[in-house]
Amino acid sequence: MDPVTPLAVGPGLARPHRWLCAHPRALDTLVALVVLALILIGAVAGPRMRHQSLGPFFVLLAVLAAASLVLRRELPRGVLAFNVGLTLTELVTNDVGPPRTSIVFGVVVALYTVAARTDRPTTWRVGAATAVLLTGAGMLFALNPWYSQENWGLFAWTGLAAAAGDAVRSRRAYIAAIEERAVRAERTREEEARRRVAEERLRIARELHDVVAHHIALVNVQAGVASHVMDNRPDQAKEALAHVRQASRSALEELRATVGLLRQYGDPAAPTEPAPGIAVLDQLVDGFVRAGMRVRVRAEPPEKLGPLPGSVDLTAYRVVQEALTNVHKHAGPGATAEIRIDRVADVLEVTVEDDGAGTRTEGPEEAPEGADGSGTPRADGTEPGGGHGLLGMRERVTALRGSCEAGPLPEGGFRVRVRLPLQPRRGGES
């Protein structure tokens, strides 16, 4: 016969084990049969029992003790009390010769079950009471002398059962806690991943809005001018169309750069040019000036502003871009805008104001965005007609833990003021 390898035996042993775990009543029946065998073998194998035959009363007690273990899961304390009673009966009655202490195996299994299904204080109270009761009964009514090894065996077996059951319960609780932490960590990791994806989508949406809203507003105005003067002043129409082409080209370049951020790291086709900042503010202002807006810039020299963090530099640029776009859309081409950029301590302050002196030209290309045609932003930060310029601006500033104020001026016009901290706040501050 060929020898059986461990690999061949492993699956065969694992299958009955899984079946017994899936059928606890069958497992308890098997445990009851094993306990019955141990009780009977221990009753005839002891040094004092070799010449004593098993009486029918002891066999009945052994059968009852083993049979009760089938219900140990449903009635753990009841089965323990029943087995303790049977053991005391054997110790006290002594029907045939000295008592057979092997009957305690039923108590051992029942006490183990109670310890594995309750808390530690209860386990030690029940275990101590059981050990003292059985050991005391053995010393008083059964074996002599009182310090015989059978009496101490009763104490040792009951104490071992309580300790083993408590250890198994602690192990199960530890494993359950580890599994719960693993599930919670996995859930937290998934939630964090979803949050990061949502933040990235929001950031990309803000970038696209800033690029599209700014350049399309310029294209819209210049196209309207070209359409209006096409017949009477063709030279001015050509100039307006040239501005349209330049604005559209700039929009395409910024869109290409923004979409390129989605490329994988290390992609050679990914954009490498820096993000726009205050250093190119003059180019931004020049585009609005060509569109007919009067813009004044009052900014501190670059050496006084000092080096700015990339996120602050980009946010300041986008704030100015969005504010000028709103002035151009809502205040009209005749309005005058003023930009002020100052550094106070560790805060960069950006202010964009307009005098509200422009006149809105209403037509198919430029219909009023609000119900009253004022174009005044709503309280939630969205612009009339469904825009999200001011809302996106506030989100950018809030992400850097800055402050953003936007609202009409008492003397007319509109003001946007943003304060951006240049250093991260200390831990614990929010």
Side-chain angles (χ1 to χ4, degrees):
M1 179 180 298
D2 296 335
V4 180
T5 63
L7 291 178
V9 173
L13 294 177
R15 191 176 298 110
H17 179 267
R18 289 195 298 267
W19 186 88
L20 288 175
C21 292
H23 300 80
R25 184 54 58 86
L27 177 60
D28 292 339
T29 302
L30 179 60
V31 171
L33 294 177
V34 173
V35 169
L36 178 61
L38 291 176
I39 293 175
L40 297 179
I41 293 173
V44 299
R48 302 187 183 187
M49 308 300 174
R50 294 177 179 175
H51 304 291
Q52 298 289 339
S53 60
L54 292 176
F57 184 69
F58 177 79
V59 174
L60 176 61
L61 293 180
V63 172
L64 291 176
S68 66
L69 297 179
V70 178
L71 301 176
R72 66 189 181 95
R73 298 177 190 268
E74 292 83 357
L75 303 169
R77 299 194 182 189
V79 172
L80 175 61
F82 182 72
N83 275 272
V84 170
L86 294 178
T87 303
L88 289 175
T89 300
E90 170 61 20
L91 293 176
V92 174
T93 56
N94 298 333
D95 59 327
V96 180
R100 293 173 170 85
T101 57
S102 61
I103 192 71
V104 79
F105 284 123
V107 176
V108 170
V109 176
L111 181 57
Y112 165 84
T113 304
V114 172
R117 289 172 171 263
T118 186
D119 53 28
R120 178 164 293 174
T122 303
T123 296
W124 290 118
R125 285 197 301 267
V126 174
T130 303
V132 171
L133 180 61
L134 296 183
T135 305
M139 292 179 177
L140 293 176
F141 301 104
L143 298 168
N144 292 314
W146 63 270
Y147 53 82
S148 63
Q149 63 179 4
E150 287 85 354
N151 290 332
W152 292 113
L154 292 173
F155 183 84
W157 278 110
T158 51
L160 179 63
D166 182 70
V168 170
R169 179 197 56 78
S170 299
R171 179 67 177 175
R172 289 173 180 171
Y174 175 72
I175 294 176
I178 291 179
E179 292 177 349
E180 181 183 0
R181 283 198 297 269
V183 172
R184 187 165 57 250
E186 182 67 23
R187 188 183 305 114
T188 303
R189 186 160 50 248
E190 293 176 356
E191 292 175 354
E192 178 67 15
R194 287 195 294 267
R195 185 186 66 82
R196 289 182 178 274
V197 170
E199 290 180 351
E200 185 66 13
R201 291 177 60 184
L202 183 59
R203 185 186 67 82
I204 295 173
R206 286 198 298 262
E207 289 290 336
L208 293 177
H209 171 272
D210 292 341
V211 173
V212 173
H214 164 59
H215 291 290
I216 296 303
L218 296 182
V219 169
N220 182 40
V221 172
Q222 296 294 340
V225 172
S227 176
H228 182 69
V229 301
M230 180 68 70
D231 297 331
N232 300 327
R233 289 174 287 177
D235 294 339
Q236 187 176 353
K238 290 181 180 181
E239 183 180 355
L241 291 177
H243 292 162
V244 168
R245 183 173 59 182
Q246 182 177 357
S248 61
R249 183 186 300 112
S250 299
L252 289 175
E253 291 176 354
E254 291 201 35
L255 284 174
R256 188 179 299 109
T258 302
V259 175
L261 295 176
L262 302 178
R263 296 182 182 273
Q264 296 181 355
Y265 177 79
D267 192 334
T272 57
E273 63 272 9
I278 295 179
V280 294
L281 187 62
D282 54 344
Q283 301 178 14
L284 175 66
V285 172
D286 185 62
F288 284 98
V289 171
R290 289 198 302 267
M293 182 190 299
R294 294 188 294 271
V295 182
R296 294 195 300 268
V297 180
R298 297 181 180 178
E300 295 181 351
E303 58 272 10
K304 188 174 181 180
L305 290 177
L308 301 177
S311 57
V312 173
D313 198 14
L314 175 61
T315 300
Y317 178 88
R318 293 304 188 194
V319 166
V320 174
Q321 183 184 55
E322 178 63 29
L324 291 180
T325 301
N326 287 339
V327 172
H328 194 275
K329 290 168 57 178
H330 304 313
T336 300
E338 181 176 285
I339 305 170
R340 294 193 301 272
I341 302 177
D342 304 303
R343 177 170 181 169
V344 181
D346 292 329
V347 175
L348 183 69
E349 185 172 298
V350 179
T351 305
V352 180
E353 296 181 355
D354 71 87
D355 56 8
T359 57
R360 177 180 296 277
T361 302
E362 298 185 8
E365 293 84 8
E366 294 181 294
E369 297 193 33
D372 56 355
S374 62
T376 303
R378 300 189 184 98
D380 62 356
T382 60
E383 299 170 8
H388 295 80
L390 290 179
L391 179 61
M393 183 189 303
R394 288 194 174 95
E395 289 173 349
R396 284 181 178 275
V397 175
T398 303
L400 298 180
R401 297 186 177 183
S403 61
C404 178
E405 302 174 3
L409 297 173
E411 62 275 11
F414 200 84
R415 177 172 60 194
V416 175
R417 176 177 295 169
V418 168
R419 295 172 57 85
L420 300 172
L422 300 179
Q423 294 182 355
R425 297 190 179 184
R426 299 182 183 272
E429 297 183 7
S430 58

